[in-house]
């Protein structure tokens, strides 16, 4: 059964191609994601021979090992010497990689459960999956300004957002072992709404949803004012990016296994020293 598209695949590719030439000037959110991924990777005391950079952007992830680059945007993929492919339609054979890293793309994938299943299958047993994306709680100020500007019937202009709990559930559903999802908050201050919109465009993160409609000029002007009305004492408007991190392993017999149900050798009452009734 096919999954209906939430995102316009052609528009998503176009946004990434448009962002590619100037991405270095707007890469700060992905830089935080890559730092977090590297910290998690540094805590793993083993080596990975074959790596997939899934959604490579400008090839900012630089491991000291063999790497395959992949991006849905042809310009990013070409500049990185990589492959053009969408995250939910991977062209790789099963058990191709020891490590898959993905930063900044999974929040706009049409079939995210399917993408995670494909990533897990592309890993060898005991291979590691590390991902980061913008999640629930992000762009709250922009959302509030648009709500004021559009009144009681706002259009869907911001991408649906996944929270930490849902991210962990998705890892489990995809068959990853030892799944972990956590988050970090990045706060940025803007002089006006235009600065935020330029950053989103420069990241390739403009609205790519199916059925999107442009803002009318008068509505956009109201959004600018509503955004400015939220400025702090320094005249800057705070915006929030909530970054969700996902960690999961391809199952392998050598991994720690949960205890079999009913295998405990001592009762909870005994452990808590609860007296008999």
């Amino acid at each position: 059964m096919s999954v209906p598209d939430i995102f316009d695949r052609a528009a998503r590719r176009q946004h990434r191609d448009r962002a590619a030439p100037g991405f270095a000037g707007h890469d700060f959110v992905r830089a935080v994601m890559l730092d977090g991924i590297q910290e998690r990777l540094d805590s793993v005391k083993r080596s990975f021979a074959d790596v997939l950079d899934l959604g490579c952007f400008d090839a900012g992830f630089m491991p000291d090992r063999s790497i395959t680059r992949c991006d849905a945007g042809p310009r990013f993929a070409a500049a990185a010497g990589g492959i053009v492919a969408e995250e939910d339609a991977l062209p790789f054979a099963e058990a191709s990689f020891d490590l898959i890293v993905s930063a900044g793309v999974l929040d706009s994938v049409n079939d995210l459960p399917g993408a995670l299943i494909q990533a897990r299958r592309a890993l060898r047993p005991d291979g590691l999956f590390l991902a980061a994306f913008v999640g629930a709680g992000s762009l709250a100020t922009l959302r509030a300004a648009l709500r004021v500007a559009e009144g009681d019937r706002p259009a869907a202009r911001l991408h649906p957002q996944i929270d930490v709990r849902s991210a962990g559930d998705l890892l489990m559903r995809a068959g990853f072992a030892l799944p972990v999802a956590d988050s970090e908050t990045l706060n940025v201050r803007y002089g006006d709404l235009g600065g935020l919109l330029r950053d989103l465009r420069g990241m390739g993160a403009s609205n790519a949803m199916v059925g999107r409609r442009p803002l009318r000029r008068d509505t956009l002007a109201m959004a600018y004012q509503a955004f400015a009305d939220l400025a702090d004492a320094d005249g800057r408007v705070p915006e929030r990016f909530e970054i969700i991190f996902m960690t999961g392993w391809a199952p392998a017999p050598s991994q720690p296994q949960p205890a079999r149900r009913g295998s405990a050798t001592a009762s909870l009452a005994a452990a808590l020293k609860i007296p008999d009734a």
Side-chain angles (χ1 to χ4, degrees):
M1 182 177 178
S2 62
V3 177
D5 280 355
I6 300 170
F7 302 102
D8 182 330
R9 294 176 186 269
R12 186 172 183 257
R13 288 192 295 271
Q14 290 165 4
H15 291 174
R16 297 182 71 73
D17 279 353
R18 182 180 64 193
F23 182 70
H26 306 275
D27 67 347
F28 60 94
V29 176
R30 189 167 191 265
V32 172
M33 293 179 182
L34 291 178
D35 285 346
I37 285 174
Q38 190 61 56
E39 287 178 8
R40 288 157 175 80
L41 187 58
D42 289 343
S43 69
V44 178
K45 305 305 180 185
R46 56 165 287 190
S47 60
F48 300 94
D50 296 301
V51 182
L52 173 62
D53 185 1
L54 181 58
C56 65
F57 286 87
D58 60 350
F61 179 65
M62 298 292 291
D64 185 21
R65 48 187 69 86
S66 172
I67 187 164
T68 299
R69 309 281 186 183
C70 175
D71 201 278
R75 294 187 74 171
F76 277 131
I83 297 165
V84 179
E86 297 189 45
E87 298 78 4
D88 54 0
L90 297 182
F92 308 109
E94 291 191 21
S96 295
F97 304 102
D98 301 299
L99 170 66
I100 296 178
V101 167
S102 178
V105 294
L106 294 183
D107 56 309
S108 60
V109 173
N110 276 302
D111 183 10
L112 181 53
L116 294 175
I117 290 171
Q118 291 181 44
R120 193 257 302 159
R121 289 175 176 168
L123 285 169
R124 296 175 184 134
D126 206 31
L128 177 60
F129 176 74
L130 288 170
F133 57 88
V134 173
S138 301
L139 301 174
T141 309
L142 174 58
R143 192 182 301 274
L146 290 173
R147 190 161 47 241
V148 170
E150 296 196 287
D152 296 333
R153 302 181 67 181
R157 302 196 181 279
L158 298 183
H159 293 174
Q161 297 176 345
I162 300 165
D163 61 21
V164 171
R165 176 174 292 185
S166 297
D169 290 343
L170 286 167
L171 284 170
M172 293 182 65
R173 287 175 53 193
F176 283 100
L178 311 173
V180 175
D182 60 299
S183 67
E184 297 178 9
T185 301
L186 173 65
N187 292 307
V188 185
R189 297 164 74 234
Y190 287 96
D192 61 18
L193 178 58
L196 172 57
L197 296 180
R198 284 189 295 274
D199 273 342
L200 293 177
R201 182 184 176 97
M203 296 173 197
S206 300
N207 184 1
M209 288 190 292
V210 171
R212 65 198 176 283
R213 292 183 285 114
L215 278 169
R216 298 197 318 264
R217 286 190 177 185
D218 58 335
T219 305
L220 182 60
M222 292 176 64
Y224 264 79
Q225 185 58 56
F227 191 84
D229 290 342
L230 299 172
D232 59 22
D234 295 328
R236 310 288 288 180
V237 181
E239 187 55 281
R240 171 185 176 186
F241 294 89
E242 193 72 18
I243 300 173
I244 308 294
F245 291 92
M246 304 173 86
T247 305
W249 295 83
S254 60
Q255 293 167 347
Q257 302 295 317
R260 181 173 52 83
R261 187 177 180 88
S263 63
T265 58
S267 71
L268 178 61
L272 298 177
K273 296 182 172 59
I274 298 175
D276 294 338

